[in-house]
Each structure stands twice: as C-alpha cells, then as structure tokens.
C-alpha cells in the first residue's frame, strides 16, 4: 500500500528507511507510538519530495551507506541485523568522533523525526498541544 | 499591484525606472521610499506570496518547506557544517525571523567610518532612519506577560546571578504569544515588511512579482541593460513564463548569500571582495530540563536577552521551537531517547550568539543550482561561544534546572554547575559544537576604499553606473545583534540618496 504513495524512494530505499526509522524510534517505552506505527518512512519520503537534486542525492547515498557499510565489518547489511545490533550500529554513527560521519547521521535522523513528530497522533502522546499565551 | 504565478499567463516585459531583486528588509523599504517619490518600481521576488490565512495554518515543518530556502537548511560548509535558515517569500526573511529589533550599535557605525571610510552613516546621521523604520514596523519591548515561561525561568536565573538582562524589542502589534515567529505569525502580530512597507509601496504604484526568479543580469560597459528571469509554478517548481525587466537602475536586495551569487553566476565581478568577508553571527543552543512545567512554546520565543558579556561580543537571546524541530536534535536514538521526548513540556532553551569579528566565510557559485557557502570559525570566536555556553548553563542551574545540555559532542549533559568546568578543561574542537547561524552579512561590503569594498557608502557598486546593492551584504563587519533594523534603515537612506540624485541615475 505504501508503495503507491511513495514520491521519492523506491521499495528498496523505503524498506531501508523503515528499518532505520524503527531503530531510531521504536514502539514502546516512555510512549507507545514508534516510527512504524505512523509509517515514518513514508512521511519522510513525502516530506522531502521537493528537495533539490543535490540534497536528495545526499539522503539516498546516506541511506545506502548505512545499509551496506556493515557488510565490510559485520558481513551483514543493516536490514540483515537484529534489532539490538541495529541499535548499537546506529549509536556508533550518532556518537562517532568523526564529525562528518556523525553529522550525516544526525541530519538523517532529524529529517526522519521531523515529520514523525509533526504527526498529530504523536504530538498528542507527548502532551504537546500547540497554543498561545492568549487564545482570544 | 502584486502578481503571483497564478495571475500571469504570458511572458512579462517591464521597463520601469528601478528594478529591485528581492522583497525582504532591504528591497521592501527601497520600493516604498522610491515609489513614494513618484519613481516607477518593479520588484522581482523568487518566493511566493503568503498571508496569515495560509501560513497561519501551516505546521512548522510545512513552513520550513514553503517559506524558506532549502527547507530552512541551507548549509554553510567548513570544519563543521552550520545551518543557515534563509526566508524565501514576499517579505523575505522578515516573514520568518524572530522579530527582534536592535539599532546598529554605535561602535559598529564608528568602526565602519574609521576602517572602511563609510560616510554619512554616523549614529547621528542614522537616528532619523531608525526612528522612521521603528515607527513603521511598530517596534516595542516584549512585556513580561508575553515572555512565556521559557524566558521567565532564564530571567530568574540571570537575576539570581546578578547578570544584566532585559526584554528584547520586537516589531509587533497585539502579540498572542504563540511561539511561531519563525514559521509565520498566525495572527500577523509580527510586523514583517509584507504588512507595512510592501502594501504602502503597492499603493504608491510599485509592482511586485512573486514567484519571479531573476537569473540573468546583462551588464554592458558598466550599465545594467536588463534582467531576465522566470515565472515559476510554486507547486511544481517548473518554469511557466519568462520575465524581462529593462530598468534605468537595478537594486540588488537578495541578501548576503544570493546577491553575490547572482552577480558571480553572471560573471559580474565588481571587486575582488565580492562574495568574501561573510559573517554569519554563529549561534549555539543550550537546553535544560526542569521539574516544573515550562511549555516553552507558549510566549515570544526570542523575548529576552542577557547582555552582561555583550562588550565581549557574546549575546544570550531566547529561543524555543516546537517538538518537531527540537526533539529530532535533542533526543538520542532508541527506547532511552523516548524518555527525553516525553519531557518536552519541561524543556527550557536559550541561545548564545557571538559576534564573529575574527571569523569569515565566502560565497561562490556551487556545483548544483545554488551557491557554495564556506566559513571558518576563528579560535577566538570559538572561545567566546564556549564562554557563552558556560554562562547560559550557569544561569539555567541558578534558575533551578535539573540538567543542562550544552550541545557539545563528547560532553554529557551537566548534572550540576560543577560540571560546567569541562567546557574549559577539555580540548574541544570546532567540530564538537552544534551551531546555527541566522544573520549573513558582509559579502559586498560598502565604503569609500575602492580596492577593499564592493559598493560605495550609499550602495552604488564601484565601476558601474546604475547598479546598487541594498541588503545585509553591504555591512562591512558583523553587527553583533539582529540586523533587520540596520538593513531597513540603510535601505531607506540609500533610497533617499537615489532620489536626491535621480537626474544622475534615472535619466
């Protein structure tokens, strides 16, 4: 179903993005809703549909790099790992002392989570109810 | 008259007295003053025309997509990447800025005169322009009632430490404190220029073209002959029609990134300084968690300041953003990170801005369709940033914070004020800091020293007869404060100079 609505990714990139999004924002914990509960991969795809060529290339390259880089060190692609392995692997990106590696992941994380938190159902789960000091 | 792509059904040809590229703080004021003197003005604006009926309904991430360039994430490259949000709409960045208003610091005006030979821009010369601009856009101080709790807790901490602080001035009328200044004010309380200078200019006969992207500037023997561009469908980004403007005089007001870029792209060099000397007013954010509910999104996000260290080039100014902008940055990945998100209503945040007197960057044509922006933060300015982060952290603890996150890679969140010392004892590099910047200036600096400046004291480009620049790119140094009043006031002054010399420029 999601495939019909994708604007930027093909099915392969969509699946990789789902796996990354689920690792960044799993279901359960302090609040139930996780990335895959609201199809964050699709929200992300739709959000970046007007990206210029270069940033779009950056996003796709970053996704493929995260997916295939572990083939050289762990003999597994990202989607082939267990949830625990995925978490440790992405924490390696997030806390890397190499600024470029860290920043690539932080940018990707930001782009995935922005549409996620913009979803009304998610906003509700963190008790965020946009409003003003004065409502008159 | 204000036309968008929806109103246009054929190629546009215009022959006005003056063409202005850009409708932000510089271009809008220029258009209003010139058209008030009976001068025929056409304004080309790449962005669309939006009113509160539209942006008032946008979610913040939609505003980023629609009202900003590059989704609000224009990247400045250097040792560390710095995000530089730039507005793109009728009204330019004034539609999405914080609304904070400062006059140009007197010391800065003096330095421009002494070092760059800028004439007739002393504090006394500029006073009447500041007054007129402030009156038009209704500059008033934020009230404590409008500040919201994010500002109030920081004030509480600053007062406890005896640090000088106060309420910032904003261009606003009847603010409801919705915390959305940066995404388009839903009540149009923020008096961006599309609510005052632009309607005034239109009443006087100026013609504004939204969705009109200027692409080619034809300059022959020092004279601008015409500007060619495209009318763009804002939904698809596709070119619909052509637009050709043949003015007697061209004013570039596209901002400190796009003004040099469009000139460089067209092979117009003007000076070896064009595109250089970029200052961006780098900033860092400091966040903290409190036991008490803050709901920082209610109130004026940038409502107050701490200026105890302003003489050192360090200004602390309020910031706060909705969860879809804040949490993706603050929250670690995994289940543990969700605990942080759940505490969003207990979050407080403040910003540190440093005057980049020693750092600088450059704008060049990039390999894609936009400019390549580079910047090197000088170690001295980095020290100022570190000091600012330390001061803000102290203030948060003095206000009762449980934890403070300095936003520095490799440093855990502070649990008490004793932890702040790490900022000074550890070897920190530029790449360890998360930075943003909001005020690009300086890429076409003004002055009378021809070899060192791009335009003269009134914005006329050296070596040309009918090309002016009137935006933040002409300021020779960092202001150390938010620049919209300075940009508007200098634009007003430059417009009067053109009017006073209309025989020379407009015949």
């Amino acid at each position: 179903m999601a495939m019909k609505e994708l604007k930027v990714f093909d099915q392969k990139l969509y699946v990789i993005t789902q796996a990354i999004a689920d690792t960044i924002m799993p279901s359960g914990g302090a609040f139930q809703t996780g990335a895959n509960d609201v199809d964050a991969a699709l929200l992300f795809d739709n959000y970046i549909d007007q990206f210029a060529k270069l940033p779009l290339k950056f996003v796709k390259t970053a996704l493929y790099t995260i997916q295939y880089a572990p083939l050289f060190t762990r003999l597994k692609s990202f989607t082939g790992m267990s949830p625990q392995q995925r978490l440790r692997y992405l924490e390696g990106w997030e806390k890397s002392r190499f600024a470029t590696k860290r920043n690539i992941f932080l940018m990707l994380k930001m782009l995935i989570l922005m549409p996620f938190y913009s979803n009304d159902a998610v906003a509700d789960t963190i008790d965020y109810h946009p409003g003003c000091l004065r409502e008159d | 008259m204000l036309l968008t792509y929806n109103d246009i059904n054929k190629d546009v040809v215009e022959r006005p007295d003056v063409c202005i590229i850009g409708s932000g703080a510089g271009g809008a004021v220029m258009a209003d003053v010139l058209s008030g003197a009976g001068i025929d003005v056409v304004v080309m604006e790449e962005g669309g025309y939006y009113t509160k009926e539209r942006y008032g309904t946008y979610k913040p991430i939609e505003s980023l997509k629609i009202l900003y360039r590059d989704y609000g994430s224009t990247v400045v490259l250097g040792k560390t990447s710095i995000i530089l949000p730039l507005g793109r709409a009728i009204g330019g960045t004034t539609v999405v800025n914080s609304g904070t208003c400062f006059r140009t610091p007197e010391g800065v005006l003096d330095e421009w005169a002494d070092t760059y030979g800028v004439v007739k821009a002393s504090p006394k010369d500029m006073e009447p322009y500041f007054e007129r601009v402030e009156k038009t856009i209704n500059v008033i101080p934020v009230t404590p009632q409008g500040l919201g709790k994010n500002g109030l807790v920081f004030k509480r901490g600053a007062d406890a430490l005896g640090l000088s602080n106060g309420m910032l001035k904003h261009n606003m009328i009847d603010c409801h404190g919705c915390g959305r200044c940066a995404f388009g004010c839903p009540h149009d309380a923020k008096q961006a220029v599309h609510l005052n200078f632009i309607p005034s200019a239109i009443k006087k006969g100026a013609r504004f073209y939204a969705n009109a992207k200027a692409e080619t500037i034809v300059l022959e023997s020092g004279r601008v002959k015409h500007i060619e561009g495209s009318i763009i469908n804002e939904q698809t980004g596709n070119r619909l029609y052509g637009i050709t403007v043949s003015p007697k005089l061209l004013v570039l007001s596209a901002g400190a990134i796009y003004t040099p870029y469009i000139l460089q792209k067209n092979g117009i060099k003007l000076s070896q300084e064009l595109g250089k000397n970029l200052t961006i007013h780098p900033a860092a954010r400091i966040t903290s968690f409190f036991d008490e509910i803050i709901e920082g999104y209610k109130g004026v996000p940038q409502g107050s300041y701490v200026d105890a260290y302003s003489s050192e080039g360090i200004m602390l100014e309020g910031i706060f953003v909705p969860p879809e902008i804040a949490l993706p940055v603050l929250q670690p990945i995994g289940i543990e990170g969700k605990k942080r998100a759940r505490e969003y209503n207990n979050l407080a945040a403040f910003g540190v801005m440093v005057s980049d007197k020693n750092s600088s960057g450059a704008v060049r044509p990039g390999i894609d369709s936009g400019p390549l922006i580079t910047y090197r933060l000088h170690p001295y300015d980095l020290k100022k940033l570190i000091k600012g982060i330390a001061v803000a952290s102290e203030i948060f603890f003095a206000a009762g914070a449980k934890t403070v996150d300095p936003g520095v890679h490799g440093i855990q969140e502070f649990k008490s004020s004793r932890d702040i010392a790490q900022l000074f004892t550890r070897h920190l590099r530029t790449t360890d800091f998360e930075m943003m910047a909001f005020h690009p200036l300086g890429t076409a600096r003004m002055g009378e020293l021809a070899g060192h400046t791009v335009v003269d004291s009134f914005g006329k480009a050296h070596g040309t007869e009918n090309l002016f620049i009137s935006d933040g790119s002409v300021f020779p140094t960092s202001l150390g404060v938010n620049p919209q009043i300075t940009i508007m006031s200098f634009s007003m002054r430059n417009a009067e100079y053109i009017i006073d010399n209309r025989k020379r420029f407009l015949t």
Side-chain angles (χ1 to χ4, degrees):
Chain A
M1 186 184 78
M3 186 64 191
K4 280 183 196 168
E5 301 166 55
L6 289 173
K7 293 181 179 175
V8 175
F9 297 153
D10 56 19
Q11 185 65 26
K12 194 172 182 179
L13 269 177
Y14 172 68
V15 170
I16 295 169
T17 308
Q18 269 189 321
I20 294 171
D22 183 52
T23 308
I24 292 172
M25 179 59 69
S27 297
F31 56 94
Q32 181 54 38
T33 314
N36 286 346
D37 298 317
V38 295
D39 204 346
L42 181 65
L43 295 176
F44 173 44
D45 166 278
N46 282 202
Y47 183 56
I48 61 170
D49 68 334
Q50 285 181 25
F51 259 26
K53 261 191 248 169
L54 201 61
L56 205 53
K57 202 174 246 181
F58 162 83
V59 167
K60 290 181 178 180
T61 306
L63 291 169
Y64 278 126
T65 305
I66 286 174
Q67 166 72 353
Y68 294 116
L71 279 176
F72 298 99
T73 52
R74 301 167 194 230
L75 303 176
K76 280 179 186 171
S77 64
F78 179 73
T79 48
M81 294 179 189
S82 70
Q84 271 312 310
Q85 287 172 324
R86 288 178 186 178
L87 179 64
R88 280 200 297 277
Y89 172 65
L90 288 190
E91 280 176 344
W93 280 76
E94 186 176 42
K95 294 173 184 167
S96 173
R97 64 192 183 95
F98 297 108
T100 306
K101 182 179 177 184
R102 189 171 72 240
N103 288 335
I104 286 171
F105 178 72
L106 292 177
M107 186 66 85
L108 202 57
K109 181 181 96 170
M110 189 173 82
L111 288 169
I112 291 171
L113 289 185
M114 282 166 66
F116 170 80
Y117 277 116
S118 198
N119 184 290
D120 290 337
V122 177
D124 220 33
T125 61
I126 59 165
D127 286 335
Y128 170 61
H129 308 290
C132 309
L133 282 176
R134 271 175 47 210
E135 295 293 355
D136 55 297
Chain B
M1 182 175 78
L2 195 160
L3 299 173
T4 73
Y5 74 102
N6 271 324
D7 307 312
I8 295 168
N9 54 17
K10 60 179 182 180
D11 288 349
V12 176
V13 178
E14 284 276 11
R15 291 184 169 279
D17 292 328
V18 176
C19 174
I20 300 169
I21 297 177
S23 68
V29 177
M30 177 66 70
D32 185 40
V33 177
L34 292 181
S35 52
I39 292 169
D40 184 35
V41 174
V42 160
V43 180
M44 296 173 73
E45 165 58 54
E46 184 181 347
Y49 176 54
Y50 306 96
T51 62
K52 71 175 179 185
E53 285 71 27
R54 292 179 72 184
Y55 53 66
T57 64
Y58 294 160
K59 289 186 172 186
I61 66 166
E62 291 172 313
S63 289
L64 288 179
K65 189 172 176 175
I66 295 165
L67 300 174
Y68 285 81
R69 286 185 184 277
D70 313 317
Y71 284 56
S73 296
T74 300
V75 178
V76 178
L77 296 172
K79 279 189 178 174
T80 191
S81 301
I82 301 174
I83 300 294
L84 175 69
L86 301 170
R88 185 179 59 182
I90 287 283
T93 301
T94 69
V95 179
V96 289
N97 68 9
S98 62
T100 298
C101 296
F102 280 98
R103 291 186 178 191
T104 324
E106 292 192 0
V108 171
L109 291 173
D110 292 340
E111 183 187 357
W112 293 352
D114 295 343
T115 309
Y116 300 94
V118 175
V119 299
K120 295 186 179 170
S122 67
K124 197 177 164 199
D125 293 324
M126 294 307 298
E127 173 80 20
Y129 299 108
F130 293 145
E131 281 180 8
R132 280 164 60 190
V133 165
E134 288 169 350
K135 191 174 173 198
T136 305
I137 63 173
N138 204 57
V139 176
I140 53 172
V142 174
T143 62
Q145 295 75 28
L147 195 52
K149 206 158 176 195
N150 185 57
L152 289 172
V153 292
F154 204 76
K155 180 170 174 44
R156 186 169 78 204
D159 286 342
L161 295 174
L163 295 174
S164 166
N165 67 87
M167 299 296 169
L168 286 164
K169 289 182 176 177
H170 277 229
N171 49 324
M172 60 182 184
I173 297 172
D174 194 26
C175 172
H176 284 54
C178 304
R180 286 187 44 114
C181 308
F183 308 104
C185 177
H187 295 97
D188 272 349
K190 184 174 72 178
Q191 295 297 292
V193 294
H194 69 307
L195 302 175
N196 36 65
F197 284 108
I198 290 176
S200 169
I202 290 170
K203 260 190 204 161
K204 296 167 190 163
R207 298 184 295 290
F208 283 72
Y209 288 91
N211 314 112
K213 183 179 183 181
E215 290 154 341
T216 305
I217 297 173
V218 177
L219 182 105
E220 291 173 9
S221 309
R223 280 197 72 79
V224 173
K225 295 291 181 184
H226 54 266
I227 301 100
E228 292 167 2
S230 300
I231 303 295
I232 306 287
N233 180 327
E234 73 183 32
Q235 306 294 328
T236 63
N238 294 334
R239 181 183 197 269
L240 296 173
Y241 302 101
I243 176 166
T244 303
V245 184
S246 305
K248 292 172 186 163
L249 186 141
L250 171 64
V251 180
L252 275 173
S253 298
I257 304 299
Y258 278 81
T259 283
Y261 172 63
I262 191 171
L263 289 167
Q264 291 165 332
K265 208 176 65 164
N266 282 279
I268 300 170
K269 293 195 169 65
L270 294 184
S271 155
Q272 60 179 7
E273 296 300 313
L274 180 70
K276 296 180 182 171
N277 313 303
L278 172 70
T279 60
I280 56 175
H281 208 191
R285 56 93 190 148
I286 299 89
T287 51
S288 74
F289 284 92
F290 284 74
D291 283 325
E292 64 198 274
I293 298 289
I294 305 290
E295 290 186 332
Y297 51 91
K298 292 181 180 173
V300 180
Q302 195 167 79
S304 61
Y305 65 87
V306 172
D307 63 350
Y309 298 94
S310 61
S311 62
E312 297 174 37
I314 303 167
M315 274 297 282
L316 275 57
E317 294 184 18
I319 48 164
F320 204 88
V321 287
E324 55 263 60
I325 314 292
L327 295 178
V329 179
L330 299 178
Q331 173 191 340
I333 64 172
I335 289 283
E336 283 302 305
K338 294 180 80 173
K339 287 182 190 164
R340 179 74 352 138
R342 197 71 185 79
E343 295 179 308
Y344 175 72
N345 284 333
N346 300 71
L347 175 73
F350 226 74
V352 174
M353 289 183 179
V354 295
S355 175
D356 39 352
K357 290 278 183 193
N358 305 282
S359 311
S360 86
V363 176
R364 303 179 186 88
I367 52 169
D368 197 14
S369 55
L372 173 68
I373 314 165
T374 54
Y375 182 80
R376 181 179 174 274
L377 186 73
H378 191 279
Y380 179 71
D381 290 334
L382 182 63
K383 277 187 182 167
K384 290 193 282 191
L385 194 72
I386 294 171
K387 181 169 180 179
I389 293 171
V391 171
S393 303
E394 290 280 9
I395 292 173
F396 272 131
F397 280 119
K402 279 192 307 185
T403 59
V404 174
D405 177 1
V408 182
H409 172 70
I411 292 190
Q412 299 290 316
E413 63 180 17
F414 302 144
K415 300 275 193 286
S416 79
S417 59
R418 282 195 305 277
D419 296 338
I420 297 170
Q422 293 174 66
L423 287 169
F424 302 102
T425 55
R426 294 192 39 181
H427 175 64
L428 297 172
R429 297 166 298 182
T430 311
T431 50
D432 293 325
F433 292 82
E434 289 171 20
M435 276 181 272
M436 288 191 79
F438 302 93
H439 307 136
L441 305 170
T443 49
R445 63 191 186 188
M446 65 177 163
E448 300 302 318
L449 306 173
H452 300 277
T453 56
V454 179
V455 299
D456 70 15
S457 298
F458 295 93
K460 192 183 85 62
H462 295 312
T464 67
E465 293 176 23
N466 65 341
L467 172 59
F468 276 71
I469 297 176
S470 201
D471 57 28
S473 60
V474 303
F475 303 137
T477 64
S478 171
L479 302 178
V481 294
N482 308 52
Q484 66 170 339
I485 296 293
T486 303
I487 296 171
M488 291 181 203
S489 301
F490 270 84
S491 206
M492 186 174 273
R493 165 184 168 275
N494 296 351
E496 288 190 352
Y497 175 79
I498 292 169
I499 293 165
D500 291 345
N501 294 277
R502 62 201 297 172
K503 274 190 185 164
R504 178 181 164 199
F505 295 122
L506 300 176
T507 53

